[in-house]
Amino acid sequence: MKYPGACSLEYQNVMNIVIESLFQWDIKNQKSKGPGIFGTTVAFAPADEEQGRKTLHRHIQLWIKEIDHKLRSE
């Protein structure tokens, strides 16, 4: 709470590890490194928010290559 900028940077570092490890997304080159836990990530859109108690969290929308209209309808 004393250093919110440092907390935000650490939060961003942790989120980058999650994106690279779980989604197999190369952040530097903006492309997939292969299938992640949901399949091959084509793109993603993160949105970071701060709650009233000063905690950060992220919503992520993923576009996965292997998820097609048939799979979604089931």
Side-chain angles (χ1 to χ4, degrees):
M1 297 299 282
K2 191 173 180 181
Y3 302 102
C7 291
S8 177
L9 286 174
E10 187 61 27
Y11 169 78
Q12 293 297 327
N13 289 334
V14 170
M15 289 294 101
N16 286 345
I17 291 169
V18 168
I19 290 167
E20 288 181 345
S21 300
L22 297 181
F23 305 148
Q24 294 298 309
W25 185 258
D26 185 347
I27 293 173
K28 184 177 179 183
N29 297 314
Q30 294 295 300
K31 64 180 186 176
S32 178
K33 297 185 287 184
I37 61 169
F38 300 115
T40 306
T41 303
V42 177
F44 73 98
D48 296 319
E49 295 179 351
E50 178 185 353
Q51 294 177 328
R53 54 187 173 197
K54 309 291 185 212
T55 58
L56 298 171
H57 68 279
R58 176 175 279 185
H59 301 268
I60 301 175
Q61 185 174 16
L62 294 170
W63 285 266
I64 304 296
K65 182 178 180 180
E66 291 82 8
I67 297 179
D68 60 6
H69 293 291
K70 182 178 185 274
L71 182 60
R72 275 188 236 161
S73 66
E74 294 175 1

